Amino acid sequence: MSLKKHELFINGQWVKPESGAYVTITNPANGVDVAAAAKGSVQDVDRAVAAARKAFGPWSAKTASARADYLYALERAVVREREKLATTITSEMGKPITEARMEVDFAAGLLRFAAENTRRLQGEIIPAEREGEKILIDRVPHGVVGAIAAWNFPLALCARKIGPALAAGNTIVVKPHELSPLSALALAALAQEVGLPEGVLNIVTGDGPDVGVPLVAHADVPLITMTGSTPAGKKIMAAAAEHLKEVRLELGGKAPFIVMEDADIDAAVEAAVSARFFNCGQVCTANERTYVHEAVYDRFSKSLRARMEKLKVGDPLHESTDMGPKVSLTELEKVDTMVQKAVAQGATLELGGHRLQGGAYDRGTYYAPTLLSNVRHGMDIVHDEVFGPVLSLLKVRDFDEALKLANESQYGLSAYLFTKDLGRVLRMTRELEFGEVYVNRGAGEEPQGFHHGYKNSGLGGEDGQHGLEAYVRTKTIYLNA
Ligand code: NAD
């Protein structure tokens, strides 16, 4: 049986790639090829940017309410197609179907927030030095936005950029990740169905060098928004410097998860496990290093281990599965190498630490939920992003030590604290060098929040009113009769 071929979405049409080539998308849960996606190239990027540029004038001239109506229609279509979209997400990158549904809901929430706020991009009026003059600071769209996404939330990461970009009056060219382009293409089909004007949204599938690089370099794309790894983000920023264009980068993380002696231990264990094993650990906000106060360390680790032993790893389409496969063999091998290195550096392997094999596991790329204890600050696993199902336990003497170690990181995206002491909470919110702090709860940001990393975790931020404002720039007008 021949695979379904997905074309590029340019100017409201499905078009063949100039290269004539397609890339096979394989389900990491069972090794089955699910579809083929067009292999885009610089010529396709040029076509897409030209279409987006042509559409920009009429789209940005529409009233804010008219743009909102399109976004509401798209949101409704996403909600209607929840099950189909969730299945697409699961089949292209392997997350459990229950989590894929949550991703669809989050994507819908992001589109809804964008629709609700098209009329909230307000300007300013400033008193002038000349009689009769008014100084206006208007907020205007950038033009064509170039959006580049990672594979771990293939639908939501695209919706997170498309919603606010379009709400603010920009048009957009999206490059999904080469491993997982199908959800973004499904979203484009819904945009076509709801009648989004031609050229407002364009999708060019393909890899970083062929599509991402020319998109970043394109003279008619003044703003690049990218979600992905820190090394790729740095390359994009360097390339963007050449053209003096604005970049927003949502990059890697190494979240500390701090549990103090006065915490609700059961709640902390539950949150530590979900923040580590959700999406097979492939989340930028994941619990990458768990710091536990020595007074509760033994109780916490015993309960943690028992909870981890209950995790069901298997077919992500089964309703009861807690964890699916790693997205690819390369990613699985990267994680395994990090675990073996941690053990060589003195960590104790309590659980897992190997690829799962036998039966249905042999067809996919499954890694066992892994628990490392006796992890110490000098080990590489404490500093490098694992992005996999590996929980590292570190014992701390007190809150000061936890805070100090948490901050000794190149990353600064998310952090977690479990305690009942308000003084500690206040100190943490002041002193922790992270853009997003979760107090007494697990992971999961909201569309109306602001998802923003410090240091090597990025530059810019997404969601909420601050995220929306990234998609406009100011224009100052000295107004006289
Ligand atoms: P990646 O950097 O390999 O790829 C991300 C995207 O960038 C892909 O579409 C890729 O094709 C493209 N790309 C790569 N090199 C490029 C270049 N030189 N020019 C233009 N485009 C280029 O990352 P990934 O493996 O897809 O994602 C995993 C990473 O993403 C992790 O580090 C994770 O923490 C991070 N992430 C961050 C957030 C956040 O909001 N901060 C969210 C999700 C994932």
Side-chain angles (χ1 to χ4, degrees):
M1 200 180 78
S2 70
L3 280 181
K4 178 171 167 46
K5 273 187 184 169
H6 291 269
E7 310 295 357
L8 306 168
F9 186 67
I10 297 179
N11 204 27
Q13 315 293 323
W14 297 100
V15 299
K16 294 198 180 306
E18 289 285 342
S19 67
Y22 294 80
V23 177
T24 302
I25 309 300
T26 305
N27 185 338
N30 52 23
V32 172
D33 294 338
V34 286
K39 186 167 166 45
S41 63
V42 60
Q43 290 88 351
D44 302 313
V45 170
D46 286 346
R47 283 196 286 169
V49 173
R53 198 166 146 78
K54 188 157 156 259
F56 174 64
W59 178 251
S60 57
K62 285 193 187 300
T63 63
S65 304
R67 289 198 300 272
D69 287 343
Y70 285 107
L71 289 167
Y72 277 124
L74 186 56
E75 181 229 349
R76 283 195 300 274
V78 167
V79 171
R80 190 195 70 215
E81 295 300 326
R82 183 179 192 241
E83 205 51 31
K84 213 163 143 191
L85 289 166
T87 308
T88 302
I89 293 170
T90 295
S91 66
E92 66 178 335
M93 55 73 62
K95 73 174 55 169
I97 188 74
T98 47
E99 295 180 6
R101 289 187 194 116
M102 289 162 77
E103 179 175 345
V104 178
D105 295 345
F106 186 50
L110 291 162
L111 293 171
R112 185 177 186 87
F113 182 90
E116 286 166 350
N117 288 282
T118 54
R119 290 191 292 186
R120 295 201 173 87
L121 286 165
Q122 298 164 8
E124 299 160 44
I125 304 175
I126 297 167
E129 293 304 315
R130 295 183 182 206
E131 282 185 15
E133 182 174 80
K134 282 199 190 301
I135 304 174
L136 312 185
I137 299 189
D138 199 0
R139 266 131 154 220
V140 297
H142 289 263
V144 179
V145 173
I148 300 173
W151 49 262
N152 59 337
F153 289 87
L155 180 74
L157 294 180
C158 292
R160 195 175 225 174
K161 298 177 188 308
I162 293 167
L166 268 48
N170 304 279
T171 55
I172 193 165
V173 176
V174 179
K175 185 203 112 46
H177 197 279
E178 50 275 27
L179 287 175
S180 60
L182 305 178
S183 322
L185 293 168
L187 187 62
L190 296 178
Q192 190 183 36
E193 177 207 298
V194 302
L196 190 73
E198 288 171 1
V200 170
L201 166 65
N202 307 273
I203 311 266
V204 183
T205 51
D207 62 22
D210 290 344
V211 178
V213 169
L215 187 58
V216 172
H218 204 293
D220 290 335
V221 179
L223 171 67
I224 291 289
T225 166
M226 177 266 197
T227 301
S229 64
T230 298
K234 287 185 177 175
K235 278 191 199 146
I236 288 174
M237 189 157 173
E242 190 70 20
H243 308 275
L244 272 186
K245 63 178 66 178
E246 209 168 300
V247 286
R248 320 263 320 171
L249 303 169
E250 316 307 327
L251 309 177
K254 191 75 195 168
F257 191 107
I258 302 173
V259 183
M260 285 292 103
E261 78 285 12
D262 60 347
D264 176 338
I265 299 297
D266 291 344
V269 165
E270 198 53 41
V273 170
S274 72
R276 176 68 280 186
F277 299 100
F278 188 85
N279 202 9
C280 198
Q282 305 165 137
V283 186
C284 57
T285 58
N287 161 19
E288 285 265 336
R289 42 203 175 112
T290 312
Y291 296 98
V292 184
H293 191 286
E294 59 185 10
V296 290
Y297 183 88
D298 289 345
R299 198 178 133 209
F300 182 90
S301 46
K302 200 166 152 235
S303 171
L304 176 78
R305 188 191 168 110
R307 178 69 187 83
M308 279 180 60
E309 279 169 342
K310 287 202 195 114
L311 288 172
K312 258 181 88 178
V313 185
D315 183 349
L317 281 175
H318 282 172
E319 295 291 332
S320 60
T321 293
D322 295 311
M323 206 177 91
K326 284 288 296 167
V327 72
S328 66
L329 187 58
T330 314
E331 279 290 311
L332 182 147
E333 286 169 347
K334 184 201 84 183
V335 168
D336 190 51
T337 303
M338 293 177 91
V339 171
Q340 304 320 325
K341 192 169 180 193
V343 172
Q345 290 177 342
T348 307
L349 185 61
E350 303 272 354
L351 281 177
H354 57 86
R355 184 175 180 175
L356 288 169
Q357 275 163 328
Y361 286 141
D362 288 344
R363 292 195 290 277
T365 43
Y366 295 89
Y367 199 77
T370 298
L371 177 61
L372 292 170
S373 65
N374 287 323
V375 177
R376 279 183 301 279
H377 193 62
M379 297 178 185
D380 292 311
I381 200 138
V382 178
H383 300 282
D384 302 332
E385 187 182 37
V386 180
F387 219 56
V390 181
L391 196 148
S392 295
L393 266 181
L394 297 98
K395 195 187 281 189
V396 287
R397 266 189 323 275
D398 52 25
F399 186 60
D400 285 333
E401 187 185 15
L403 206 55
K404 178 173 169 292
L405 296 181
N407 276 337
E408 283 177 13
S409 172
Q410 58 164 316
Y411 294 106
L413 181 55
S414 309
Y416 302 81
L417 171 63
F418 272 76
T419 182
K420 294 205 177 89
D421 181 336
L422 181 60
R424 282 176 178 160
V425 172
L426 290 175
R427 223 183 116 198
M428 181 197 189
T429 57
R430 268 195 320 270
E431 295 180 26
L432 256 194
E433 295 158 18
F434 291 79
E436 190 173 272
V437 179
Y438 294 95
V439 182
N440 292 321
R441 70 110 130 162
E445 59 268 27
E446 306 244 348
Q448 65 272 38
F450 186 49
H451 180 60
H452 178 205
Y454 298 170
K455 304 186 201 168
N456 271 350
S457 291
L459 196 76
E462 288 186 309
D463 308 340
Q465 199 62 24
H466 293 289
L468 179 59
E469 284 172 14
Y471 290 93
V472 286
R473 52 186 165 182
T474 56
K475 184 175 274 187
T476 308
I477 302 145
Y478 292 88
L479 185 66
N480 292 271

